[in-house]
Amino acid sequence: MCARKIAGVLGATGSVGQRFILLLADHPDFELKVLGASPRSAGKKYIDAVNWKQTDLLPEFAKDIVVSECKAENFKECDVVFSGLDAEYAGPIEKEFVEAGLAVVSNAKNYRREADVPLLVPIVNPEHLEIVGEKLARAQSAGQAKPGFIVCISNCSTAGLVAPLKPLVESFGPIDALTTTTLQAISGAGFSPGVPGIDILDNIIPYIGGEEDKMEWETKKILGSLSSDKTTVDLLSDDEMKVSAQCNRVAVSDGHTECISLRFKNRPAPPLADVKKCLQEYVCDAFKMGCHSAPKQTIHVLEQNDRPQPRLDRNRDSGYGVSVGRVREDPVLDFKMVVLSHNTVIGAAGAGILIAEILLAKKYI
Amino acid sequence: MCARKIAGVLGATGSVGQRFILLLADHPDFELKVLGASPRSAGKKYIDAVNWKQTDLLPEFAKDIVVSECKAENFKECDVVFSGLDAEYAGPIEKEFVEAGLAVVSNAKNYRREADVPLLVPIVNPEHLEIVGEKLARAQSAGQAKPGFIVCISNCSTAGLVAPLKPLVESFGPIDALTTTTLQAISGAGFSPGVPGIDILDNIIPYIGGEEDKMEWETKKILGSLSSDKTTVDLLSDDEMKVSAQCNRVAVSDGHTECISLRFKNRPAPPLADVKKCLQEYVCDAFKMGCHSAPKQTIHVLEQNDRPQPRLDRNRDSGYGVSVGRVREDPVLDFKMVVLSHNTVIGAAGAGILIAEILLAKKYI
Amino acid sequence: MCARKIAGVLGATGSVGQRFILLLADHPDFELKVLGASPRSAGKKYIDAVNWKQTDLLPEFAKDIVVSECKAENFKECDVVFSGLDAEYAGPIEKEFVEAGLAVVSNAKNYRREADVPLLVPIVNPEHLEIVGEKLARAQSAGQAKPGFIVCISNCSTAGLVAPLKPLVESFGPIDALTTTTLQAISGAGFSPGVPGIDILDNIIPYIGGEEDKMEWETKKILGSLSSDKTTVDLLSDDEMKVSAQCNRVAVSDGHTECISLRFKNRPAPPLADVKKCLQEYVCDAFKMGCHSAPKQTIHVLEQNDRPQPRLDRNRDSGYGVSVGRVREDPVLDFKMVVLSHNTVIGAAGAGILIAEILLAKKYI
Amino acid sequence: MCARKIAGVLGATGSVGQRFILLLADHPDFELKVLGASPRSAGKKYIDAVNWKQTDLLPEFAKDIVVSECKAENFKECDVVFSGLDAEYAGPIEKEFVEAGLAVVSNAKNYRREADVPLLVPIVNPEHLEIVGEKLARAQSAGQAKPGFIVCISNCSTAGLVAPLKPLVESFGPIDALTTTTLQAISGAGFSPGVPGIDILDNIIPYIGGEEDKMEWETKKILGSLSSDKTTVDLLSDDEMKVSAQCNRVAVSDGHTECISLRFKNRPAPPLADVKKCLQEYVCDAFKMGCHSAPKQTIHVLEQNDRPQPRLDRNRDSGYGVSVGRVREDPVLDFKMVVLSHNTVIGAAGAGILIAEILLAKKYI
């Protein structure tokens, strides 16, 4: 077995950072060595700096790591750096890391809209990582040092939405209209303070700031194509695909449920049975590459009429598998269905780990 | 003041029956005198027959009423009978009552699809009660005894959906496509046993048996027109209006939230501001008639971006008012918005009371 | 009818302040004229300064009141000032108000431990207000200006606990041992941010900072006696009464449930039936005085074995009545029972209003 | 490796039965071969007979097992039979199984009170299984066939309560007074229908039928001693130990929280630090015997002041470990603390599996 790659985590005391640490404990490919957090935490042992709030215990290996400030010089030994920084801080820090030649996989939204930054749902569009490959190849041909780069993890609710869309588009051609109404878990809001209990008990909040806009344009980037020179991603235009999202916060701890409807561009629409078969048979590239965390079954098509349910289905394939149920014809568009994805796994930290595994499989790190 | 009309309640020990009793306590128009329930309860005092589960206390006046069997002869003094019977029992009992010349306002689904039975959301389509008026008039002209009749209360989730549609159609013409994704409260499922706690805690159930179908066709009946001879209602056809519903049960006690999108037939679509104004200015006929329970404000158009919320907004106008928020343009259809209605008030027992008040105002009882 | 007394509210934009405003809308005795909040809010109309989060709508009368800074000069016209200030700010502000001759009824904890400040549960120990009467009388005899004073509202969980204790002690003599395990609602924690949703969903938090200590000593003050000169309250000693509290936060919006056990000093203990009768027959002095908000039934003794329940019973007597159920013998102490009280009514803002009504009845304001 | 013992499950389609099946999947000691359920299910494949409601998927091995009727002849090949039957049916069925010479480990309450039936919390009183050993030895000496026997699993809330008591009694002598107030999860009520959602959302039910009585006497049996002839267990008398329980149902899916207080008989009470140390150092016999499911750490003593919490701590040691927090002196008795245990693991099916592992380790099966 090869030596494991060295990993670091930015924003290590936060909600996403804590999950990166859990997922990196005993990981076969990565050895977590550097934890970065705010100056207030820097210099303390991690166990003293963190307010650990996960259902799994704080892994032993992380307890005594002394927290560093989020400066590139502290992470120079890292082959990959996972960023769980808040958007408020992520911008300049991640920029400094990339300029210092580091490979950054970020959960922050700051660079998602950059045309030359892959926005990735690792079970959906790993081919967008060719932007990284191209960048590395060009530097190598030019005899330059290995350049840094950043890959962005998608918004949590986008991840669940695009998972079933990818195989459908591959099999049946473009989707020209898509609606989604989400019922999103509160863990997606972090815990500083996240969603107040009094706001969500016996209640629904029919609004998540910025979320609908993110879902609408991120979908068009993730389903978009690489430019011919492999340096950018071209978004689908509004003419090519109309997307409408309505986002709600509900009293669920983990697992985003989405009620989606879609219409294909090509007429006639495919038969219902073919749609289900296409979803069930989809195998994501990450699994074919043998990535450690890739789901054995990318999309679970459930036939019981009352599934998927967050409490019962969110942990399929350790949260990397997406569940789809109630696939049926739609009187307004072509098909409707219910999609469930684990927002903190395939929608956040877990996606970051799988992205790094793909980067490793492609020898980009 | 005139003497109050005599009222009876069928299924008086059930969830809907209990709410009828609460709403009839101290009602200015109706005096509740007869309570009907299963043979198991008949002969007992109501307080001994019922497992009272309301947040308001069991009204004093009802405690000592001796429960009757659900036979028309026991209700013959009643000017109006409210039925909260389960669908399993409602069919033959309600039929017997109508044949015995009684006026029945029913929450059961059994007769909703009959073309000559008004399916009513009292803040939306009271004009469909002309079927009753016509029936009474014809009997009178023919010198016959006053005939019995039945008016059906709509499904709870339909009530919220059609409330904003009515003024929009009146102002801007037909809606040709409509989608709704519901987040429905558990009180709608009654309590025998209703939704199990373990199924709904930290969870969503993306399915309610029969509900989507009900919403789709009931909408077409409620927005449909009276036949020219005023004896039936003509449903809108699928060509006239396409409706698609996705129904979910969530951990909310009372109040159904619905995320709806709609497209008008006429082009161009009206301006957003006109849509909001139309909703805000709508005054239901029941209010104009002076009905006791009619909402002063039929539709509350909320401008805060995170409203309506069930816990905060469900009790507006004692639950007879509907709240609409987040009215905005929709990239796929024309407009989208969030609708909140109180499922046990305007969506069930409360609707029955208001229907009876309209029947009284029209001198049909 | 006499002119209403002028009232002001400190901390008007906060959770407790909002409830003071609701309770003062249309109050027969008080007219709310002055709203005080932080300098950040001062100068704005209340509707623009507040993030209103109550289930009742913001009362019309309050919307256009211009918020003042919390300085005594701004409240000089007030006959009574209700303070909903956070403990962080309450100390010097309330002191200034008292020194300026104002009557302050405060929900903050800052002055509760002062021996010459009445700590009041208005359905339990209004006689402690004689401290105020004595102070006023002395000033009057001395020809001094009417002095200011402060009355503190008890901690929310203490209020429920002491309600049944008072009549029991009056009838059966001292209680020498008392245990309580609380299941407390999240509204008690306010909303800035209060209890995070992710911490309370499908969970219990077996700790509320400072709460157990507060319950233990506040009980000894509230059940304590006036000094002979009526200037202070003498706490019960640990020898006279041992109190042990275990406090938990649970997923309930409003209503604190407490499982209590107690042992009387006198042997033999009274019969169970007498204990129930004593509780049921207790009529608080505030009701006898005719106070507007006083509960008609101070303590509701429920005989159904699964009551009281917060959702069903918290609003009895508009939240001013306390419910007690499952009164039974205890194998370890003498009796055990379940007590439910509305934490934001009798345990916070509501108590403040009733205290002011008593002050008015006694002509102290 | 030895051949695995053959196991059967009674009541296989119910809540407890489903958990037995999960825990027996891939178990190193047991091979589950026979599933018994009602005549309605008998003859069907398990996957067709069950409404599977676990968060883990139905194990492959169980899907095609054809369900049998609950008759001993169908289980004669079984070395051990786990019973998840409802109390309504368990009595005669379990009796028939024992008479047929089978070893039964039962979650039903029917035989718990029999003096010659061990009532077991496997991390607490495995020594009571000597009753089984004695029975088997006597039969062997007498040249009789191996007799059947039954071991009862304790009530779920009792299991958590007695776990910390055992080491305390061993170290510091008898406990003469014990109070517990429980906050119990809804999974303990099964799902036919279990606790209705509308009863538990934003609510507490301060009553669980029969639970307090069970906790009070079961504790006295589990902490009781074997008779000198090893044929029965002698309960502690009321004079030896007074126990008082107050039981509440709360909105938690899994994990019973208990706030307990206790007083030792011996004076002076031990120092607080010794109490904590005693709990922390306790190693249950099942772990010493090398049982597969025995917790590595029997009791986790948590020092953070807001722990244990059900969502964060219920799965320690796969649910076989018990968490204790907030150990502190009690003003009324000697010590108080919060105990959390997983009600469906150490409090039900999981306990059954560990009991069978102990039986195997002792060569009783």
Side-chain angles (χ1 to χ4, degrees):
Chain A
M1 173 184 157
C2 298
R4 294 191 294 168
K5 295 287 178 182
I6 307 302
V9 167
L10 290 167
T13 57
S15 168
V16 177
Q18 291 183 20
R19 291 183 183 265
F20 275 131
I21 290 169
L22 275 181
L23 292 162
L24 288 168
D26 304 315
H27 195 285
D29 300 329
F30 304 109
E31 183 181 1
L32 178 54
K33 283 205 174 164
V34 194
L35 297 176
S38 69
R40 200 182 56 245
S41 296
K44 295 183 189 166
K45 284 186 186 179
Y46 184 68
I47 193 172
D48 299 325
V50 73
N51 179 11
W52 187 258
K53 310 238 310 194
Q54 306 301 315
T55 54
D56 292 296
L57 296 179
L58 172 53
E60 282 300 321
F61 85 93
K63 288 182 176 173
D64 292 336
I65 295 181
V66 175
V67 175
S68 304
E69 281 200 65
C70 295
K71 296 185 171 165
E73 62 188 7
N74 298 327
F75 288 73
K76 59 189 171 197
E77 68 175 318
C78 293
D79 298 296
V80 61
V81 176
F82 299 95
S83 170
L85 290 168
D86 279 351
E88 192 180 345
Y89 305 105
I93 294 175
E94 294 180 355
K95 188 156 184 278
E96 191 221 340
F97 274 59
V98 171
E99 288 172 356
L102 289 163
V104 177
V105 178
S106 173
N107 194 57
K109 69 181 178 187
N110 305 58
Y111 295 106
R112 286 183 194 160
R113 284 177 184 265
E114 302 297 314
D116 62 348
V117 170
L119 176 63
L120 225 74
V121 178
I123 57 173
V124 169
N125 63 332
E127 65 275 16
H128 287 187
L129 291 177
E130 288 185 38
I131 290 175
V132 173
E134 180 69 17
K135 189 179 186 186
L136 296 177
R138 289 188 185 192
Q140 192 173 27
S141 330
Q144 296 164 344
K146 191 174 176 183
F149 61 86
I150 186 167
V151 179
C152 287
I153 301 166
S154 83
N155 185 48
C156 53
S157 52
T158 312
L161 177 61
V162 297
L165 301 186
K166 181 64 178 297
L168 293 176
V169 168
E170 284 181 353
S171 294
F172 307 116
I175 289 164
D176 74 354
L178 172 70
T179 66
T180 179
T181 298
T182 69
L183 296 84
Q184 296 184 226
I186 54 180
S187 61
F191 43 68
S192 316
V195 181
I198 196 68
D199 284 359
I200 204 66
L201 179 66
D202 190 12
N203 206 17
I204 287 159
I205 308 173
Y207 177 73
I208 302 173
E211 193 83 356
E212 296 174 353
D213 181 54
K214 274 187 229 166
M215 288 189 76
E216 291 174 8
W217 79 259
E218 287 190 3
T219 298
K220 293 174 189 167
K221 180 166 182 178
I222 293 165
L223 297 180
S225 313
L226 276 182
S227 62
S228 54
D229 65 356
K230 298 187 179 173
T231 60
T232 59
V233 176
D234 296 332
L235 270 70
L236 294 175
S237 71
D238 289 353
D239 279 351
E240 290 171 304
M241 185 179 200
K242 291 176 171 54
V243 185
S244 176
Q246 302 205 53
C247 295
N248 301 282
R249 191 74 73 185
V250 296
V252 166
S253 62
D254 290 314
H256 287 354
T257 302
E258 306 189 29
C259 294
I260 76 175
S261 298
L262 58 88
R263 184 178 58 212
F264 291 103
K265 186 175 179 191
N266 298 332
R267 302 283 91 189
L272 176 60
D274 292 9
V275 168
K276 288 186 187 181
K277 190 159 175 284
C278 160
L279 294 171
Q280 183 68 29
E281 292 182 350
Y282 177 60
V283 181
C284 67
D285 288 346
F287 183 76
K288 292 177 193 161
M289 287 179 218
C291 292
H292 171 68
S293 305
K296 191 176 165 193
Q297 179 76 34
T298 309
I299 298 175
H300 297 256
V301 178
L302 308 177
E303 291 292 346
Q304 289 170 263
N305 60 16
D306 63 352
R307 303 289 277 266
Q309 294 179 17
R311 210 170 67 86
L312 300 183
D313 298 307
R314 60 191 164 204
N315 288 319
R316 288 178 185 253
D317 292 275
S318 302
Y320 284 95
V322 169
S323 295
V324 174
R326 308 203 68 220
V327 185
R328 57 213 195 280
E329 290 179 351
D330 178 31
V332 171
L333 301 181
D334 287 344
F335 296 100
K336 50 186 173 181
M337 64 193 75
V338 179
V339 182
L340 173 72
S341 60
H342 197 302
N343 55 301
T344 73
V345 183
I346 196 60
I353 302 299
L354 184 51
I355 289 168
E357 294 173 7
I358 299 172
L359 289 171
L360 184 63
K362 288 177 175 283
K363 302 190 191 308
Y364 296 164
I365 57 173
Chain B
M1 172 185 157
C2 298
R4 294 189 297 167
K5 296 288 179 180
I6 307 302
V9 167
L10 291 167
T13 57
S15 168
V16 177
Q18 292 183 20
R19 291 182 182 267
F20 275 130
I21 290 169
L22 276 181
L23 291 162
L24 289 168
D26 304 314
H27 195 285
D29 300 329
F30 304 109
E31 182 181 1
L32 177 53
K33 284 206 173 162
V34 194
L35 297 177
S38 68
R40 201 182 54 244
S41 297
K44 296 184 189 167
K45 284 187 186 178
Y46 184 67
I47 195 174
D48 299 323
V50 73
N51 179 11
W52 187 259
K53 310 238 311 190
Q54 307 301 316
T55 55
D56 291 297
L57 295 180
L58 173 53
E60 282 300 321
F61 85 93
K63 288 183 176 172
D64 293 335
I65 295 182
V66 175
V67 176
S68 305
E69 281 200 64
C70 295
K71 296 184 173 165
E73 62 188 7
N74 299 327
F75 289 73
K76 59 190 170 194
E77 66 175 318
C78 293
D79 298 294
V80 61
V81 176
F82 298 96
S83 169
L85 290 168
D86 278 350
E88 193 181 344
Y89 305 104
I93 294 174
E94 294 179 357
K95 189 158 185 280
E96 191 220 340
F97 275 59
V98 172
E99 288 173 356
L102 289 161
V104 177
V105 178
S106 172
N107 193 57
K109 68 181 179 188
N110 306 57
Y111 296 105
R112 287 184 194 161
R113 285 178 183 265
E114 302 296 313
D116 62 347
V117 170
L119 176 63
L120 224 74
V121 178
I123 57 173
V124 170
N125 63 330
E127 66 274 16
H128 287 187
L129 291 177
E130 288 185 38
I131 290 175
V132 172
E134 180 68 17
K135 190 179 184 185
L136 296 175
R138 290 189 185 190
Q140 193 171 25
S141 338
Q144 296 165 344
K146 191 174 176 183
F149 61 87
I150 184 166
V151 178
C152 285
I153 302 165
S154 84
N155 186 47
C156 52
S157 52
T158 311
L161 176 62
V162 296
L165 301 186
K166 182 64 178 299
L168 292 177
V169 168
E170 283 180 354
S171 295
F172 308 116
I175 289 166
D176 73 354
L178 172 70
T179 66
T180 180
T181 298
T182 69
L183 295 83
Q184 296 184 226
I186 55 180
S187 61
F191 43 67
S192 314
V195 180
I198 196 69
D199 283 358
I200 203 67
L201 177 66
D202 188 14
N203 206 17
I204 287 159
I205 308 174
Y207 176 74
I208 303 173
E211 193 84 355
E212 296 174 354
D213 181 53
K214 275 187 229 166
M215 290 188 75
E216 291 175 8
W217 80 260
E218 288 189 4
T219 297
K220 293 175 188 168
K221 180 166 183 178
I222 293 165
L223 296 180
S225 315
L226 277 183
S227 61
S228 53
D229 65 355
K230 299 186 179 174
T231 60
T232 59
V233 176
D234 295 332
L235 272 69
L236 295 176
S237 70
D238 290 351
D239 278 351
E240 290 171 301
M241 184 180 202
K242 290 175 173 55
V243 184
S244 176
Q246 303 205 50
C247 294
N248 301 282
R249 192 73 75 184
V250 297
V252 166
S253 62
D254 289 316
H256 286 354
T257 302
E258 306 191 26
C259 294
I260 77 175
S261 298
L262 57 88
R263 185 177 57 210
F264 291 104
K265 187 177 177 189
N266 297 335
R267 302 284 90 186
L272 176 60
D274 293 9
V275 168
K276 288 186 188 181
K277 189 159 177 284
C278 159
L279 294 171
Q280 182 68 29
E281 293 182 350
Y282 177 60
V283 180
C284 67
D285 288 347
F287 183 76
K288 293 178 193 160
M289 289 178 216
C291 293
H292 171 68
S293 305
K296 191 176 164 193
Q297 179 76 33
T298 310
I299 297 176
H300 298 256
V301 178
L302 308 178
E303 291 292 345
Q304 290 170 263
N305 60 16
D306 62 351
R307 301 290 277 266
Q309 294 179 18
R311 209 170 68 87
L312 300 182
D313 298 307
R314 59 191 166 205
N315 288 321
R316 289 177 184 254
D317 291 275
S318 302
Y320 284 94
V322 170
S323 295
V324 174
R326 307 204 69 223
V327 185
R328 58 211 195 281
E329 290 178 351
D330 178 31
V332 171
L333 302 180
D334 287 345
F335 297 100
K336 50 186 174 181
M337 64 192 74
V338 179
V339 182
L340 174 73
S341 60
H342 197 303
N343 55 300
T344 73
V345 184
I346 195 60
I353 302 299
L354 184 50
I355 289 168
E357 294 173 8
I358 299 172
L359 289 171
L360 184 63
K362 288 176 175 283
K363 303 190 193 305
Y364 296 165
I365 57 175
Chain C
M1 172 184 159
C2 299
R4 294 189 297 167
K5 297 286 178 182
I6 307 301
V9 168
L10 291 167
T13 57
S15 168
V16 177
Q18 292 183 21
R19 292 183 182 265
F20 276 130
I21 291 169
L22 276 180
L23 291 162
L24 289 167
D26 305 313
H27 195 286
D29 301 328
F30 304 109
E31 182 181 2
L32 177 55
K33 284 207 174 162
V34 194
L35 297 177
S38 69
R40 200 182 55 243
S41 297
K44 296 183 189 169
K45 285 187 185 176
Y46 184 67
I47 194 173
D48 298 324
V50 73
N51 179 13
W52 186 259
K53 311 241 306 193
Q54 307 302 316
T55 55
D56 291 296
L57 294 180
L58 173 52
E60 281 302 320
F61 85 93
K63 288 182 178 173
D64 293 334
I65 296 181
V66 175
V67 175
S68 305
E69 281 200 64
C70 295
K71 295 184 173 166
E73 62 188 7
N74 299 325
F75 289 73
K76 60 189 168 195
E77 68 175 318
C78 293
D79 298 295
V80 61
V81 176
F82 299 96
S83 169
L85 289 168
D86 279 350
E88 193 180 345
Y89 305 105
I93 293 174
E94 294 180 356
K95 189 157 184 281
E96 191 220 340
F97 275 59
V98 172
E99 288 172 356
L102 289 162
V104 177
V105 178
S106 173
N107 194 57
K109 68 180 179 189
N110 305 58
Y111 296 105
R112 286 183 194 160
R113 284 179 185 264
E114 301 297 314
D116 62 348
V117 170
L119 176 63
L120 225 74
V121 179
I123 57 174
V124 170
N125 63 331
E127 66 274 16
H128 286 187
L129 291 177
E130 288 184 38
I131 290 175
V132 173
E134 181 67 18
K135 189 179 185 184
L136 296 177
R138 291 188 185 191
Q140 193 172 25
S141 336
Q144 296 165 343
K146 190 173 177 184
F149 61 85
I150 185 166
V151 179
C152 286
I153 302 166
S154 82
N155 185 47
C156 51
S157 52
T158 311
L161 176 62
V162 296
L165 300 187
K166 182 64 177 299
L168 292 177
V169 167
E170 284 181 352
S171 295
F172 307 116
I175 289 165
D176 73 355
L178 172 69
T179 66
T180 179
T181 297
T182 69
L183 296 83
Q184 296 184 227
I186 54 180
S187 61
F191 43 68
S192 313
V195 181
I198 196 69
D199 283 357
I200 203 66
L201 177 67
D202 189 12
N203 206 17
I204 287 158
I205 308 173
Y207 177 74
I208 302 174
E211 194 84 355
E212 296 174 354
D213 181 53
K214 275 186 228 165
M215 290 188 75
E216 291 174 8
W217 80 259
E218 288 190 4
T219 297
K220 293 174 189 168
K221 180 166 183 179
I222 293 165
L223 297 180
S225 314
L226 276 183
S227 61
S228 53
D229 65 355
K230 298 186 180 174
T231 59
T232 57
V233 176
D234 296 332
L235 271 70
L236 296 176
S237 70
D238 290 352
D239 278 351
E240 290 172 303
M241 184 180 201
K242 290 175 172 55
V243 185
S244 175
Q246 302 205 52
C247 294
N248 301 282
R249 192 73 77 185
V250 296
V252 166
S253 63
D254 290 316
H256 287 352
T257 302
E258 306 189 29
C259 294
I260 77 175
S261 299
L262 57 88
R263 184 179 58 212
F264 291 103
K265 186 174 177 191
N266 298 333
R267 302 284 91 189
L272 176 60
D274 292 8
V275 168
K276 289 187 188 181
K277 188 158 176 287
C278 160
L279 295 171
Q280 183 68 29
E281 293 182 351
Y282 177 59
V283 181
C284 66
D285 288 345
F287 183 77
K288 293 177 193 160
M289 289 179 216
C291 293
H292 171 68
S293 305
K296 190 174 164 194
Q297 178 77 32
T298 310
I299 297 176
H300 297 257
V301 178
L302 308 178
E303 291 291 345
Q304 289 170 264
N305 60 16
D306 61 353
R307 301 290 275 266
Q309 294 179 18
R311 209 170 68 87
L312 299 183
D313 298 308
R314 60 191 166 205
N315 288 319
R316 288 178 184 253
D317 290 274
S318 302
Y320 285 94
V322 170
S323 295
V324 174
R326 307 204 70 220
V327 185
R328 58 211 194 283
E329 291 178 350
D330 178 30
V332 171
L333 302 181
D334 287 345
F335 297 100
K336 50 187 174 180
M337 63 193 74
V338 179
V339 182
L340 174 72
S341 60
H342 197 303
N343 55 301
T344 74
V345 184
I346 195 60
I353 302 300
L354 184 51
I355 289 168
E357 294 173 8
I358 299 171
L359 290 171
L360 184 62
K362 289 177 175 285
K363 303 191 193 303
Y364 296 163
I365 57 174
Chain D
M1 172 183 159
C2 299
R4 295 190 294 167
K5 296 287 178 180
I6 307 302
V9 168
L10 291 167
T13 57
S15 169
V16 177
Q18 291 184 20
R19 291 183 183 264
F20 276 131
I21 290 169
L22 276 181
L23 292 162
L24 290 167
D26 304 315
H27 195 286
D29 300 329
F30 304 108
E31 182 181 1
L32 177 54
K33 283 204 174 164
V34 194
L35 297 176
S38 70
R40 199 182 57 246
S41 297
K44 295 183 190 167
K45 283 186 185 179
Y46 184 67
I47 194 173
D48 299 324
V50 74
N51 180 11
W52 186 259
K53 310 238 309 193
Q54 307 301 315
T55 56
D56 291 296
L57 296 180
L58 172 52
E60 282 300 319
F61 86 92
K63 289 183 177 173
D64 293 335
I65 294 181
V66 175
V67 175
S68 305
E69 281 200 65
C70 294
K71 295 184 173 164
E73 62 188 7
N74 299 327
F75 289 73
K76 60 189 171 198
E77 66 176 317
C78 293
D79 298 295
V80 61
V81 176
F82 299 96
S83 169
L85 289 168
D86 279 351
E88 192 180 346
Y89 305 106
I93 294 175
E94 294 180 355
K95 187 156 186 279
E96 191 221 341
F97 274 58
V98 172
E99 289 172 355
L102 289 162
V104 177
V105 178
S106 173
N107 193 59
K109 69 181 178 188
N110 307 57
Y111 296 106
R112 287 184 194 159
R113 284 178 184 264
E114 301 297 313
D116 62 347
V117 170
L119 175 63
L120 225 73
V121 178
I123 57 174
V124 170
N125 63 331
E127 66 274 16
H128 287 186
L129 291 176
E130 287 184 37
I131 290 175
V132 173
E134 181 70 17
K135 188 178 186 187
L136 296 176
R138 290 190 185 188
Q140 194 173 26
S141 334
Q144 296 164 344
K146 192 174 176 183
F149 62 86
I150 185 167
V151 178
C152 286
I153 301 166
S154 83
N155 185 48
C156 52
S157 52
T158 312
L161 176 62
V162 296
L165 301 186
K166 181 62 178 296
L168 292 176
V169 168
E170 284 181 352
S171 295
F172 308 115
I175 290 165
D176 74 355
L178 172 69
T179 65
T180 179
T181 298
T182 68
L183 297 85
Q184 297 184 226
I186 54 180
S187 62
F191 42 70
S192 316
V195 181
I198 196 68
D199 284 359
I200 203 65
L201 178 67
D202 189 13
N203 206 17
I204 287 158
I205 308 172
Y207 177 72
I208 302 173
E211 193 83 356
E212 296 174 353
D213 180 53
K214 275 187 227 165
M215 288 189 76
E216 292 174 7
W217 78 260
E218 288 190 4
T219 297
K220 293 174 188 168
K221 179 165 182 178
I222 293 165
L223 296 179
S225 314
L226 276 183
S227 61
S228 53
D229 64 355
K230 298 188 180 176
T231 59
T232 59
V233 176
D234 295 332
L235 270 71
L236 295 175
S237 71
D238 289 352
D239 279 351
E240 290 171 302
M241 185 180 200
K242 291 177 170 53
V243 185
S244 175
Q246 301 205 53
C247 294
N248 300 281
R249 192 73 75 184
V250 296
V252 166
S253 62
D254 290 314
H256 287 355
T257 302
E258 306 189 29
C259 294
I260 77 175
S261 298
L262 57 87
R263 185 178 59 212
F264 291 103
K265 186 176 179 191
N266 298 333
R267 300 284 91 187
L272 176 60
D274 291 9
V275 167
K276 288 186 188 181
K277 189 158 175 284
C278 159
L279 294 172
Q280 183 69 29
E281 293 182 350
Y282 177 59
V283 181
C284 67
D285 288 346
F287 183 76
K288 293 176 193 162
M289 288 178 216
C291 293
H292 172 68
S293 305
K296 190 175 163 193
Q297 179 76 34
T298 309
I299 297 175
H300 297 257
V301 178
L302 308 178
E303 291 292 344
Q304 289 170 263
N305 60 15
D306 63 352
R307 301 291 275 268
Q309 294 179 18
R311 210 171 66 86
L312 299 184
D313 298 307
R314 61 192 164 204
N315 288 320
R316 289 178 185 252
D317 290 276
S318 302
Y320 284 94
V322 169
S323 294
V324 173
R326 308 203 68 222
V327 185
R328 57 211 195 282
E329 290 179 351
D330 178 31
V332 172
L333 301 181
D334 287 343
F335 296 100
K336 50 187 174 180
M337 64 193 75
V338 179
V339 182
L340 173 72
S341 61
H342 196 303
N343 55 302
T344 73
V345 183
I346 196 60
I353 302 299
L354 184 52
I355 290 169
E357 294 173 9
I358 298 172
L359 290 171
L360 184 63
K362 289 178 175 283
K363 302 189 192 309
Y364 295 164
I365 58 174

